[in-house]
Amino acid sequence: MRRVIVIALAGASLAGCSSFSFDSLMPAPPTVQVQLESVPSGADATTSLGPGCKTPCSVAVPAPDAGFAVTFAMPRFLPVTIPVQVIRNPGDFSSPASTTIDPNPVVAELRPAGPPPRAARKPIRPKKPKPPRAAAAPPPAAGSPFPNPNAPQPTR
């Protein structure tokens, strides 16, 4: 009986070790506050990492290993995308590690979109005049007061 209990405990402990992961011991990536502004204000700002807001605003984003981008969009204005760099400063004995972004605040100047392009009109072509119909006149009747224009003229 003692063997069965020892084997059961060893099996349970090995099963617990197989589900254990060192990822749970890793600290969560630090978040960074990003200030977003636009001229004119009221644009929709969206980061390539997901979070976004309506300017002027501030969002917290997880600091990636590489940079990211912020896209500003507003009706009747051209969209603008601004790259943002992540700068990591490793800590030492006298200072802790820090993560900053450049630029902060992220400011975009939106330019008005031009009027929508007009549909190209087809040029109006003048109508060609129709050639006159050559109507064959019926020969004049035998007692008509009008002379036949096709008849030969008498000589004098």
Side-chain angles (χ1 to χ4, degrees):
M1 178 75 172
R2 193 174 218 176
R3 280 187 176 174
V4 173
I5 293 174
V6 171
I7 293 173
L9 287 176
S13 65
L14 288 176
C17 288
S18 67
S19 65
F20 181 74
S21 173
F22 286 105
D23 291 338
S24 62
L25 297 178
M26 297 292 290
T31 59
V32 182
Q33 277 304 112
V34 182
Q35 183 69 30
L36 304 173
E37 299 175 8
S38 67
V39 177
S41 62
D44 292 321
T46 308
T47 65
S48 60
L49 303 173
C53 59
K54 191 173 284 285
T55 61
C57 60
S58 179
V59 295
V61 295
D65 291 333
F68 60 96
V70 180
T71 301
F72 296 85
M74 189 173 189
R76 296 190 307 263
F77 286 88
L78 297 174
V80 175
T81 300
I82 298 187
V84 178
Q85 294 180 352
V86 177
I87 302 168
R88 296 188 185 273
N89 296 323
D92 56 11
F93 291 114
S94 63
S95 64
S98 65
T99 303
T100 58
I101 60 166
D102 183 40
N104 194 13
V106 180
V107 181
E109 186 171 341
L110 301 173
R111 288 186 275 150
R118 291 187 175 183
R121 292 187 177 183
K122 294 181 181 178
I124 300 174
R125 295 181 184 160
K127 294 183 179 180
K128 294 181 182 177
K130 295 182 179 179
R133 290 186 180 180
S144 173
F146 300 107
N148 185 356
N150 294 333
Q153 298 290 331
T155 58
R156 294 189 191 187

